[in-house]
Structures are given as C-alpha cells and as structure tokens.
Amino acid sequence: MVKVNIESFFSENIKAALKNDPPGAWMPDLPDGCIHLSSGYPDPALVPAEELKGAVARLLDEEQDLPLHYLGSPRIARLKQQLQIRLAERGICVLEEQLLITSGACQAIDLIARILLDDKAVVAVESPTYMEALEIFQNYTKQIISIPIDEHGLQTYRLKEMLDERKRTGLTLPRFLYTIPSFQNPTGTTMTTERRKHLLELSIEFDFLILEDDAYGELSFDKSPLPIKSFDKSGRVLHVGSLSKVVAPGMRIGWIAGESEFIKALEWFKKDLDHPFAQSTMAVYLENTDLEKRLVLLKDVYRTKCTALIRSMEQFLPESVSWYVPDGGYFVWVRIPGVDTSHLLSQALAEGVSYVPGKYFFLDQKDGIEFIRLSFSYANEKEIIKGIRRLGQLISSVYQR
C-alpha cells in the first residue's frame, strides 16, 4: 500500500511556514523546583480565581443554558461596552463597529497579519521584539525588517533613515510597523511621547500602518503612558489590547481597536472563532469588580517585585552585566558581555533557575547572543532573590574560566 504524501496537500504558503522553528521552541523545559524567571505569567496569587468562580455561578444562575450556546449571552455585548469605556479612559474613543473582541492578543495579531500581509508585503518590527509576533509574521511573509530600540523605545530617527533609503532606492515600504511601546516585551522599555508622535508622523509621510501591542500598558509603576492610538487622528493605528495581564490569561480576552473598515475585514476572517462563555464570564466579573482598585494592587505588587529583582542584580551580578530598569510591565532585559546565553541556559537550569535567551527575540538571532530576558511577575520575592544569587554565581564562574 502506498502511503499518502501528506506534504503534497499543503498549500505553498503553509509549506513555507512549516520550515520555520516550531511555535514556542524558545520555551525551556523546566526541572522540578526551578525558579521561574523565564515565565511571562501573572503572579499566581493575583489571578482572581474565586471571583471568576463566582462570576461563572452568577452567570449560569441568571441565564441558565444561554451562555453555553453558539451565540452566547447578551452580556457579550456588555463586555464590548465595558472595553469601550476602559479604552476611553485611556484616550481611545471608538464606536462599537470600531472594536473587535478576540481570543487574546495573539489572535488579534494573527488576524491583522492575515488581512494585511502576503509574500510581497514588508513588515517592520522592533529589534528585539515579542517572539510570538515574529512567529506569526513569518507565517505570512519573509520580508521583515528590524529597527533597533534603546532605553527610550523604538529609535524613530533610525526608522526614518530606513524609510528614506527604501524610498530612494525603490524598495517596497512596510505595510505596517509592529511596536510594543509601553514596557516592551522583552526589554521593559517605554517609548517616549515625542517618539510616539514622530512615529505617527512617519506613518503618514510614508503611508504605512501601526500595529500597537499594548498588552502591558496599564501595568505602570507610576502614571500609565498614553497609547499611540490616543494621538491617532488619521486612522492608521490598529490598537491591540488584552485582559491577560490584568485579570487572567486563560480567559483569552483581547481586542482590536481600529477603523471600521479594518474591523469588518478582521471580523470576516474571525467568523465565530470566539469563546462566548469566557466573554460572558468576563463581563460578569467586570460588573462586580473595581478594576481601578485591582490595578493599584497589581502595580504595587509588581513594583515591589521588580525592585527586589533590580536590587538582587546590583548585589549578585558581576559589574560588567548591564540592564534597563523598567517603569512597568513584567520584564528586565539583561546583557552579559562575552557570554552565549543560550549555551549558559542548561547550566542555569541545572542550578535551578530559568530565563529566556535573548536570541529568540531577534530576527537575526546572532544579535541576541549576549542577552537574557528575566521576568519578575511570576516568582515571589524570596525566589527572585535566590534565583538571581544562583545566576550571579554561575555568571561569575563563567568569567573565571
């Protein structure tokens, strides 16, 4: 019997996408008892399990089977209204037809890539950037260009130089630029207001869109920066947000705010790939939650844990090691000169501490060899201190060899 040639049935673009590294290949297998400085997850103690349990009970008590059908509860419409109010408080005023609820931020990014990218399209990204966004874009195009960041976020003057050069030489300009302007993953940096406005000016001058990933935007240690979308008067910004970092990632509640023509096209391909029960539950949760009060708690906890991480690094890491100090979010970006951090990882895991090697956040992985991403969100303070002490001992031993 001749076995079916499975690959022959895949479309050409799928064949090309399957040549990339598998999704999540960057995530290490963690041994038991390992201190998780790699995990970009919320603090387990801050996930409102009991409140969500109560929301489920109330939803089913009041609506019986209704939330369990395809169309779900009328509270889904209420969730959209709740998100509109939340966005308006951050300077983003959108109509109902300008907002699409998605199954998390990753579905939002994938949908945007699906309607905007093909193998002829160019997309610009920050360098470094969120590795899962890179994975998504590489499924649609190989034409990806990187713009470096510094401690103030995307270097928009470098972006302008690139755009001028591409225009002068007749190269294709980007269809859109992907940015995480606030407490960026992986670097924790925040783009200045001046650069945010400059980026918008460039998008008009060179006719491209901006995909703004604002997953961490409300987790500031002080005053939250205004999203790029709040300055957008020309409809060029597709703003992606999520409740994963402020409520619970497993609920898979995200959104896209943008011009209604974009939203209509996105909705066309999203179809009914929804989680109506999760959306209904979230609506009930938000009805009965003081989200501002919750955000104060989250900020206080993460500020304290970030301080513990920074102080531990100052105490235990060699002087040659450097990092950016974030103003919010989950992450600290660390440079360890002369060390291949992907090779060091196995030794770190053997010592009971994890991190994510920096190479996975770059289009050209060689650019990230000396970097690591540390997360202060998941581990508790004692674990953070213990983990950095172990990491410091390991790095010092490498320098002494």
PDB file of all heavy atoms in Angstrom, residues 12 15 39 43 49 59 80 99 105 141 148 162 164 167 180-181 188 194 253 283 315 327 329 350 353 371:
ATOM      1  N   GLU A  12       1.281  26.159  -0.698  1.00  0.00           N
ATOM      2  CA  GLU A  12       2.668  26.595  -0.771  1.00  0.00           C
ATOM      3  C   GLU A  12       3.050  27.488   0.402  1.00  0.00           C
ATOM      4  O   GLU A  12       4.161  27.405   0.932  1.00  0.00           O
ATOM      5  CB  GLU A  12       2.929  27.322  -2.099  1.00  0.00           C
ATOM      6  CG  GLU A  12       2.872  26.419  -3.322  1.00  0.00           C
ATOM      7  CD  GLU A  12       3.832  25.232  -3.225  1.00  0.00           C
ATOM      8  OE1 GLU A  12       5.001  25.467  -2.849  1.00  0.00           O
ATOM      9  OE2 GLU A  12       3.410  24.099  -3.509  1.00  0.00           O
ATOM     10  N   LYS A  15       3.605  25.284   3.422  1.00  0.00           N
ATOM     11  CA  LYS A  15       4.902  24.596   3.319  1.00  0.00           C
ATOM     12  C   LYS A  15       6.039  25.523   3.739  1.00  0.00           C
ATOM     13  O   LYS A  15       6.965  25.115   4.455  1.00  0.00           O
ATOM     14  CB  LYS A  15       5.132  24.107   1.893  1.00  0.00           C
ATOM     15  CG  LYS A  15       4.247  22.953   1.466  1.00  0.00           C
ATOM     16  CD  LYS A  15       4.532  22.597   0.003  1.00  0.00           C
ATOM     17  CE  LYS A  15       3.587  21.505  -0.498  1.00  0.00           C
ATOM     18  NZ  LYS A  15       3.806  21.210  -1.935  1.00  0.00           N
ATOM     19  N   SER A  39       9.206  32.978  33.022  1.00  0.00           N
ATOM     20  CA  SER A  39       7.764  32.943  32.746  1.00  0.00           C
ATOM     21  C   SER A  39       7.149  34.336  32.713  1.00  0.00           C
ATOM     22  O   SER A  39       7.157  35.054  33.717  1.00  0.00           O
ATOM     23  CB  SER A  39       7.048  32.108  33.813  1.00  0.00           C
ATOM     24  OG  SER A  39       7.539  30.792  33.829  1.00  0.00           O
ATOM     25  N   ASP A  43       1.500  36.837  38.549  1.00  0.00           N
ATOM     26  CA  ASP A  43       1.703  36.242  39.860  1.00  0.00           C
ATOM     27  C   ASP A  43       0.495  35.345  40.163  1.00  0.00           C
ATOM     28  O   ASP A  43      -0.648  35.803  40.097  1.00  0.00           O
ATOM     29  CB  ASP A  43       1.806  37.365  40.902  1.00  0.00           C
ATOM     30  CG  ASP A  43       2.113  36.866  42.302  1.00  0.00           C
ATOM     31  OD1 ASP A  43       1.608  35.787  42.673  1.00  0.00           O
ATOM     32  OD2 ASP A  43       2.843  37.547  43.025  1.00  0.00           O
ATOM     33  N   ALA A  49      -9.158  33.768  41.003  1.00  0.00           N
ATOM     34  CA  ALA A  49      -9.858  32.500  40.774  1.00  0.00           C
ATOM     35  C   ALA A  49     -11.227  32.472  41.447  1.00  0.00           C
ATOM     36  O   ALA A  49     -12.226  32.053  40.843  1.00  0.00           O
ATOM     37  CB  ALA A  49      -8.986  31.341  41.258  1.00  0.00           C
ATOM     38  N   LEU A  59     -23.500  33.866  36.410  1.00  0.00           N
ATOM     39  CA  LEU A  59     -23.911  33.820  35.004  1.00  0.00           C
ATOM     40  C   LEU A  59     -24.880  32.668  34.745  1.00  0.00           C
ATOM     41  O   LEU A  59     -25.939  32.849  34.124  1.00  0.00           O
ATOM     42  CB  LEU A  59     -22.666  33.690  34.129  1.00  0.00           C
ATOM     43  CG  LEU A  59     -22.889  33.582  32.623  1.00  0.00           C
ATOM     44  CD1 LEU A  59     -23.471  34.873  32.076  1.00  0.00           C
ATOM     45  CD2 LEU A  59     -21.574  33.252  31.909  1.00  0.00           C
ATOM     46  N   LYS A  80     -18.194  44.357  25.345  1.00  0.00           N
ATOM     47  CA  LYS A  80     -17.668  45.335  24.393  1.00  0.00           C
ATOM     48  C   LYS A  80     -17.860  46.756  24.919  1.00  0.00           C
ATOM     49  O   LYS A  80     -16.952  47.598  24.818  1.00  0.00           O
ATOM     50  CB  LYS A  80     -18.344  45.167  23.033  1.00  0.00           C
ATOM     51  CG  LYS A  80     -17.828  46.136  21.986  1.00  0.00           C
ATOM     52  CD  LYS A  80     -18.419  45.897  20.613  1.00  0.00           C
ATOM     53  CE  LYS A  80     -17.764  44.732  19.911  1.00  0.00           C
ATOM     54  NZ  LYS A  80     -18.132  44.687  18.464  1.00  0.00           N
ATOM     55  N   LEU A  99     -14.453  48.239  17.184  1.00  0.00           N
ATOM     56  CA  LEU A  99     -13.847  47.401  18.219  1.00  0.00           C
ATOM     57  C   LEU A  99     -14.214  45.941  17.978  1.00  0.00           C
ATOM     58  O   LEU A  99     -15.382  45.606  17.783  1.00  0.00           O
ATOM     59  CB  LEU A  99     -14.333  47.832  19.599  1.00  0.00           C
ATOM     60  CG  LEU A  99     -13.747  47.097  20.807  1.00  0.00           C
ATOM     61  CD1 LEU A  99     -12.252  47.354  20.928  1.00  0.00           C
ATOM     62  CD2 LEU A  99     -14.461  47.528  22.088  1.00  0.00           C
ATOM     63  N   ALA A 105      -4.548  38.516  22.711  1.00  0.00           N
ATOM     64  CA  ALA A 105      -3.808  39.424  21.829  1.00  0.00           C
ATOM     65  C   ALA A 105      -3.177  38.694  20.654  1.00  0.00           C
ATOM     66  O   ALA A 105      -3.057  39.249  19.560  1.00  0.00           O
ATOM     67  CB  ALA A 105      -2.743  40.167  22.628  1.00  0.00           C
ATOM     68  N   THR A 141       4.954  36.259   5.628  1.00  0.00           N
ATOM     69  CA  THR A 141       5.930  36.905   4.748  1.00  0.00           C
ATOM     70  C   THR A 141       7.339  36.664   5.271  1.00  0.00           C
ATOM     71  O   THR A 141       7.536  36.480   6.476  1.00  0.00           O
ATOM     72  CB  THR A 141       5.675  38.424   4.645  1.00  0.00           C
ATOM     73  OG1 THR A 141       6.620  39.003   3.740  1.00  0.00           O
ATOM     74  CG2 THR A 141       5.806  39.114   5.993  1.00  0.00           C
ATOM     75  N   PRO A 148      16.152  49.118  15.503  1.00  0.00           N
ATOM     76  CA  PRO A 148      16.622  48.960  16.881  1.00  0.00           C
ATOM     77  C   PRO A 148      15.892  49.852  17.873  1.00  0.00           C
ATOM     78  O   PRO A 148      15.361  50.908  17.519  1.00  0.00           O
ATOM     79  CB  PRO A 148      18.110  49.344  16.793  1.00  0.00           C
ATOM     80  CG  PRO A 148      18.206  50.216  15.594  1.00  0.00           C
ATOM     81  CD  PRO A 148      17.173  49.723  14.627  1.00  0.00           C
ATOM     82  N   MET A 162      15.762  54.430   7.472  1.00  0.00           N
ATOM     83  CA  MET A 162      15.446  53.229   6.705  1.00  0.00           C
ATOM     84  C   MET A 162      14.379  53.528   5.657  1.00  0.00           C
ATOM     85  O   MET A 162      14.495  53.101   4.493  1.00  0.00           O
ATOM     86  CB  MET A 162      14.980  52.119   7.653  1.00  0.00           C
ATOM     87  CG  MET A 162      14.593  50.816   6.954  1.00  0.00           C
ATOM     88  SD  MET A 162      12.863  50.780   6.347  1.00  0.00           S
ATOM     89  CE  MET A 162      11.964  50.758   7.895  1.00  0.00           C
ATOM     90  N   ASP A 164      13.563  56.441   4.310  1.00  0.00           N
ATOM     91  CA  ASP A 164      14.134  57.315   3.264  1.00  0.00           C
ATOM     92  C   ASP A 164      14.965  56.496   2.277  1.00  0.00           C
ATOM     93  O   ASP A 164      14.872  56.685   1.057  1.00  0.00           O
ATOM     94  CB  ASP A 164      15.013  58.405   3.898  1.00  0.00           C
ATOM     95  CG  ASP A 164      14.210  59.552   4.485  1.00  0.00           C
ATOM     96  OD1 ASP A 164      13.105  59.813   3.979  1.00  0.00           O
ATOM     97  OD2 ASP A 164      14.694  60.188   5.433  1.00  0.00           O
ATOM     98  N   LYS A 167      12.753  54.273   0.067  1.00  0.00           N
ATOM     99  CA  LYS A 167      12.044  55.089  -0.920  1.00  0.00           C
ATOM    100  C   LYS A 167      12.994  55.550  -2.018  1.00  0.00           C
ATOM    101  O   LYS A 167      12.650  55.526  -3.209  1.00  0.00           O
ATOM    102  CB  LYS A 167      11.391  56.284  -0.225  1.00  0.00           C
ATOM    103  CG  LYS A 167      10.478  57.099  -1.127  1.00  0.00           C
ATOM    104  CD  LYS A 167       9.720  58.151  -0.331  1.00  0.00           C
ATOM    105  CE  LYS A 167       8.744  58.900  -1.215  1.00  0.00           C
ATOM    106  NZ  LYS A 167       7.979  59.923  -0.442  1.00  0.00           N
ATOM    107  N   ILE A 180       5.603  47.534  20.526  1.00  0.00           N
ATOM    108  CA  ILE A 180       5.094  47.405  21.897  1.00  0.00           C
ATOM    109  C   ILE A 180       5.639  48.624  22.633  1.00  0.00           C
ATOM    110  O   ILE A 180       6.713  48.562  23.241  1.00  0.00           O
ATOM    111  CB  ILE A 180       5.577  46.104  22.563  1.00  0.00           C
ATOM    112  CG1 ILE A 180       5.351  44.905  21.642  1.00  0.00           C
ATOM    113  CG2 ILE A 180       4.872  45.887  23.901  1.00  0.00           C
ATOM    114  CD1 ILE A 180       6.054  43.641  22.103  1.00  0.00           C
ATOM    115  N   PRO A 181       4.945  49.740  22.585  1.00  0.00           N
ATOM    116  CA  PRO A 181       5.545  50.999  23.051  1.00  0.00           C
ATOM    117  C   PRO A 181       5.683  51.123  24.563  1.00  0.00           C
ATOM    118  O   PRO A 181       6.531  51.882  25.041  1.00  0.00           O
ATOM    119  CB  PRO A 181       4.596  52.065  22.499  1.00  0.00           C
ATOM    120  CG  PRO A 181       3.285  51.362  22.356  1.00  0.00           C
ATOM    121  CD  PRO A 181       3.617  49.956  21.987  1.00  0.00           C
ATOM    122  N   GLY A 188      11.355  45.800  28.455  1.00  0.00           N
ATOM    123  CA  GLY A 188      10.775  46.606  29.519  1.00  0.00           C
ATOM    124  C   GLY A 188      10.837  48.097  29.268  1.00  0.00           C
ATOM    125  O   GLY A 188      10.403  48.895  30.102  1.00  0.00           O
ATOM    126  N   GLU A 194       7.353  61.898  22.635  1.00  0.00           N
ATOM    127  CA  GLU A 194       7.902  62.537  21.427  1.00  0.00           C
ATOM    128  C   GLU A 194       8.072  61.519  20.304  1.00  0.00           C
ATOM    129  O   GLU A 194       7.712  61.790  19.147  1.00  0.00           O
ATOM    130  CB  GLU A 194       9.246  63.187  21.758  1.00  0.00           C
ATOM    131  CG  GLU A 194       9.897  63.884  20.574  1.00  0.00           C
ATOM    132  CD  GLU A 194      11.261  64.455  20.920  1.00  0.00           C
ATOM    133  OE1 GLU A 194      11.752  64.213  22.039  1.00  0.00           O
ATOM    134  OE2 GLU A 194      11.840  65.149  20.051  1.00  0.00           O
ATOM    135  N   ILE A 253      -9.169  36.945  26.587  1.00  0.00           N
ATOM    136  CA  ILE A 253      -9.927  38.122  26.194  1.00  0.00           C
ATOM    137  C   ILE A 253      -8.965  39.190  25.696  1.00  0.00           C
ATOM    138  O   ILE A 253      -8.153  39.736  26.452  1.00  0.00           O
ATOM    139  CB  ILE A 253     -10.760  38.690  27.361  1.00  0.00           C
ATOM    140  CG1 ILE A 253     -11.684  37.627  27.943  1.00  0.00           C
ATOM    141  CG2 ILE A 253     -11.558  39.915  26.878  1.00  0.00           C
ATOM    142  CD1 ILE A 253     -12.741  37.113  26.986  1.00  0.00           C
ATOM    143  N   ALA A 283     -17.539  39.535  31.392  1.00  0.00           N
ATOM    144  CA  ALA A 283     -18.467  40.660  31.545  1.00  0.00           C
ATOM    145  C   ALA A 283     -19.048  40.686  32.958  1.00  0.00           C
ATOM    146  O   ALA A 283     -19.141  41.748  33.584  1.00  0.00           O
ATOM    147  CB  ALA A 283     -19.580  40.574  30.508  1.00  0.00           C
ATOM    148  N   GLN A 315      23.384  43.455  43.586  1.00  0.00           N
ATOM    149  CA  GLN A 315      24.162  42.796  44.632  1.00  0.00           C
ATOM    150  C   GLN A 315      24.935  41.581  44.126  1.00  0.00           C
ATOM    151  O   GLN A 315      26.090  41.364  44.511  1.00  0.00           O
ATOM    152  CB  GLN A 315      23.240  42.380  45.778  1.00  0.00           C
ATOM    153  CG  GLN A 315      23.952  41.714  46.948  1.00  0.00           C
ATOM    154  CD  GLN A 315      23.017  41.370  48.089  1.00  0.00           C
ATOM    155  OE1 GLN A 315      21.818  41.673  48.054  1.00  0.00           O
ATOM    156  NE2 GLN A 315      23.542  40.727  49.122  1.00  0.00           N
ATOM    157  N   ASP A 327       9.809  50.816  33.836  1.00  0.00           N
ATOM    158  CA  ASP A 327       8.844  51.624  34.584  1.00  0.00           C
ATOM    159  C   ASP A 327       7.508  50.912  34.734  1.00  0.00           C
ATOM    160  O   ASP A 327       6.519  51.512  35.156  1.00  0.00           O
ATOM    161  CB  ASP A 327       8.617  52.965  33.869  1.00  0.00           C
ATOM    162  CG  ASP A 327       9.865  53.830  33.880  1.00  0.00           C
ATOM    163  OD1 ASP A 327      10.563  53.847  34.908  1.00  0.00           O
ATOM    164  OD2 ASP A 327      10.145  54.483  32.852  1.00  0.00           O
ATOM    165  N   GLY A 329       5.275  46.820  33.632  1.00  0.00           N
ATOM    166  CA  GLY A 329       5.296  45.565  32.897  1.00  0.00           C
ATOM    167  C   GLY A 329       5.783  44.398  33.720  1.00  0.00           C
ATOM    168  O   GLY A 329       5.618  44.349  34.941  1.00  0.00           O
ATOM    169  N   ALA A 350      20.252  23.589  35.551  1.00  0.00           N
ATOM    170  CA  ALA A 350      20.835  22.622  36.493  1.00  0.00           C
ATOM    171  C   ALA A 350      21.000  23.235  37.879  1.00  0.00           C
ATOM    172  O   ALA A 350      20.928  22.523  38.892  1.00  0.00           O
ATOM    173  CB  ALA A 350      22.182  22.129  35.962  1.00  0.00           C
ATOM    174  N   VAL A 353      17.398  27.685  38.114  1.00  0.00           N
ATOM    175  CA  VAL A 353      16.849  28.996  37.760  1.00  0.00           C
ATOM    176  C   VAL A 353      16.713  29.077  36.241  1.00  0.00           C
ATOM    177  O   VAL A 353      17.562  28.587  35.499  1.00  0.00           O
ATOM    178  CB  VAL A 353      17.743  30.140  38.302  1.00  0.00           C
ATOM    179  CG1 VAL A 353      19.159  30.050  37.740  1.00  0.00           C
ATOM    180  CG2 VAL A 353      17.141  31.490  38.008  1.00  0.00           C
ATOM    181  N   PHE A 371      22.272  38.395  25.459  1.00  0.00           N
ATOM    182  CA  PHE A 371      21.156  38.934  26.234  1.00  0.00           C
ATOM    183  C   PHE A 371      20.298  37.833  26.852  1.00  0.00           C
ATOM    184  O   PHE A 371      20.246  36.707  26.353  1.00  0.00           O
ATOM    185  CB  PHE A 371      20.272  39.813  25.347  1.00  0.00           C
ATOM    186  CG  PHE A 371      20.940  41.065  24.861  1.00  0.00           C
ATOM    187  CD1 PHE A 371      21.634  41.070  23.664  1.00  0.00           C
ATOM    188  CD2 PHE A 371      20.879  42.228  25.604  1.00  0.00           C
ATOM    189  CE1 PHE A 371      22.259  42.226  23.207  1.00  0.00           C
ATOM    190  CE2 PHE A 371      21.501  43.385  25.162  1.00  0.00           C
ATOM    191  CZ  PHE A 371      22.191  43.385  23.956  1.00  0.00           C
TER     192      PHE A 371
END
